[in-house]
């Protein structure tokens, strides 16, 4: 004889097993509370906001040119998308990530010291908690989640400082190199000028040789003045301290955790346990019925 298994039969079965279901659900809820309180670690989020700067705004051409860097004749302080992409590249580079892992001993912090692939596991875990991206306002957000809120803020601020150094370092080095090159050219031109001056003193005035030497001296003198002017401009440009990024907001230790949300975990766990307890009761009754029919 086939058994009619409808909603009434389901309710009847659940009422029969109500105390078992209630007991299992309560025990599961208590277990979920204990796990969420004493096993699951709280995570805190720290972040910094920065804008890329226009490094060329401190170049000699920008400082001493009337044209500037923009169509309206004014240099823009903030950088372009290319400057932003450079920040994103540096922030996500393996060189920077490995520096952070080593500097703050994240292998031990993540408790990976006894694992076979401790360095790789630490790298992967850090990248899961680390994010750098552009906001809808075109700022760069550097975000880190960690169980230690002070450590998270310290790491983010260190990353910001490293990015600032790495973005400005090549520009500054290039300007210093140009300034040094023009200083050396100026010394060479000065030496040539002194030699030509001595030659003039040894020649008789108003002669063809003297006139030729004098014309060469005047040309060298004009070249020296122009080179001196350029050298002064490059020295001024090299002395300009242009930061690679503009820090809008530094990272600080979070006041409250970002995860886990214990109330949601307990509620979700309790509902899941209740569902499986009901399902188990229905399965047990069905198995009993099948055995009776054999």
């Amino acid at each position: 004889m086939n058994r009619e298994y409808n909603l009434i039969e389901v309710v009847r079965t659940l009422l029969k097993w109500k105390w078992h279901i209630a007991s299992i659900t309560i025990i599961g809820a208590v277990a979920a509370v204990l796990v969420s309180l004493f096993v699951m670690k709280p995570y805190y989020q720290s972040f910094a906001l920065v804008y890329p700067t226009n490094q060329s705004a401190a170049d000699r051409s920008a400082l001493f040119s009337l044209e500037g860097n923009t169509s309206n004749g004014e240099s823009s302080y903030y950088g372009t998308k290319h400057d932003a992409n450079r920040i994103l590249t540096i922030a996500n580079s393996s060189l920077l990530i490995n520096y952070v892992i080593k500097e703050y001993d994240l292998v031990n912090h993540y408790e990976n010291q006894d694992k076979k692939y401790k360095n790789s596991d630490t790298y992967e875990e850090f990248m899961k908690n680390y994010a750098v991206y552009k906001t809808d306002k075109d700022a760069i957000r550097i975000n880190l989640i960690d169980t230690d809120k002070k450590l998270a803020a310290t790491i983010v601020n260190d990353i910001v400082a490293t990015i600032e150094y790495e973005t400005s370092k090549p520009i500054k080095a290039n300007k210093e190199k140009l300034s040094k090159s023009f200083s050396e050219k100026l010394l060479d031109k000065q030496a040539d000028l002194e030699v030509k001056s001595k030659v003039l003193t040894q020649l008789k005035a108003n002669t063809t040789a003297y006139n030729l030497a004098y014309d060469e001296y005047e040309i060298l003198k004009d070249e020296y003045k122009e080179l001196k002017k350029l050298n002064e401009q490059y020295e001024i440009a090299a002395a300009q301290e242009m930061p690679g990024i503009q820090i809008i907001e530094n990272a600080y230790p979070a006041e409250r955790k970002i995860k886990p949300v214990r109330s949601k975990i307990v509620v979700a766990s309790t509902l899941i346990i209740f569902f499986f307890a009901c399902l188990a009761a229905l399965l047990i009754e069905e198995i009993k019925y099948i055995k009776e029919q054999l």
Side-chain angles (χ1 to χ4, degrees):
M1 182 176 179
N2 293 330
R3 182 184 184 186
E4 294 185 2
Y5 214 74
N6 50 34
L7 182 59
I8 296 175
E9 188 65 26
V10 170
V11 173
R12 184 182 292 112
T13 302
L14 294 179
L15 288 174
K16 178 181 177 181
W17 289 83
K18 61 183 178 180
W19 298 116
H20 297 82
I21 294 173
S23 300
I24 293 172
T25 303
I26 292 172
I27 292 172
V30 172
V33 171
L34 294 176
V35 169
S36 65
L37 287 175
F38 301 106
V39 177
M40 300 180 71
K41 296 180 179 180
Y43 281 81
Y44 302 90
Q45 176 179 257
S46 286
F47 68 92
L49 289 175
V50 303
Y51 269 103
T53 57
N54 181 10
Q55 292 285 292
S56 61
D59 287 348
R60 184 200 68 84
S61 59
L63 292 172
F64 299 98
S65 173
L66 296 177
E67 296 180 357
N69 291 336
T70 58
S71 59
N72 61 1
E74 297 181 357
S75 297
S76 174
Y77 179 76
Y78 293 106
T80 63
K81 64 178 181 179
H82 300 293
D83 298 302
N85 290 336
R86 183 166 60 250
I87 292 175
L88 293 174
T89 301
I90 294 172
N92 288 298
S93 66
S94 58
L95 188 65
L96 177 57
I97 305 305
N98 286 322
Y99 157 75
V100 170
I101 290 173
K102 183 178 180 181
E103 180 70 16
Y104 296 96
D105 194 19
L106 296 186
V107 173
N108 288 316
H109 178 64
Y110 290 158
E111 298 178 355
N112 292 332
Q113 63 271 19
D114 297 326
K115 293 183 179 180
K116 182 179 181 180
Y117 303 105
K118 58 183 181 180
N119 293 322
S120 298
D121 290 342
T122 301
Y123 192 100
E124 292 175 2
E125 186 170 352
F126 178 81
M127 293 305 294
K128 289 179 181 178
N129 298 323
Y130 176 66
V132 183
Y133 55 90
K134 289 178 66 174
T135 68
D136 56 351
K137 302 298 184 182
D138 290 331
I140 305 295
R141 175 171 171 139
I142 301 162
N143 199 85
L144 181 64
I145 298 173
D146 198 272
T147 56
D148 188 331
K149 56 185 176 182
K150 291 183 179 179
L151 179 63
T154 301
I155 291 177
V156 170
N157 286 328
D158 194 359
I159 289 174
V160 169
T162 304
I163 292 172
E164 195 283 326
Y165 173 75
E166 291 296 332
T167 52
S168 61
K169 179 179 68 173
I171 306 297
K172 182 176 177 60
N174 185 58
K175 291 196 294 184
E176 290 176 348
K177 183 179 179 180
L178 285 171
S179 177
K180 182 179 179 182
S181 175
F182 273 89
S183 294
E184 292 173 350
K185 290 179 181 179
L186 184 64
L187 291 175
D188 292 339
K189 190 66 68 174
Q190 184 178 4
D192 293 340
L193 198 61
E194 291 175 355
V195 170
K196 190 62 66 176
S197 178
K198 289 180 181 180
V199 170
L200 282 174
T201 59
Q202 296 172 0
L203 294 174
K204 187 177 181 180
N206 298 324
T207 62
T208 302
Y210 178 88
N211 291 335
L212 289 173
Y214 181 80
D215 290 341
E216 292 178 356
Y217 174 80
E218 288 297 319
I219 293 173
L220 280 174
K221 189 175 179 181
D222 291 338
E223 291 177 350
Y224 175 80
K225 289 181 179 178
E226 182 64 25
L227 198 58
K228 184 178 181 181
K229 179 181 177 182
L230 289 173
N231 180 60
E232 291 174 350
Q233 291 179 354
Y234 275 106
E235 284 182 346
I236 293 173
Q240 297 297 311
E241 293 292 336
M242 186 67 178
I245 56 176
Q246 177 65 45
I247 302 174
I248 305 302
E249 183 175 351
N250 280 308
Y252 58 89
E255 293 182 352
R256 62 179 64 183
K257 68 181 186 300
I258 188 173
K259 64 176 184 179
V261 182
R262 294 190 171 93
S263 58
K264 292 183 178 180
I265 292 174
V266 172
V267 171
S269 300
T270 302
L271 292 175
I272 292 172
I273 293 169
F274 173 76
F275 171 78
F276 280 104
C278 293
L279 183 62
L282 294 173
L283 287 175
I284 292 172
E285 285 297 313
E286 186 65 18
I287 291 172
K288 285 183 177 180
Y289 176 79
I290 294 173
K291 286 182 178 180
E292 292 173 357
Q293 299 301 314
L294 293 179

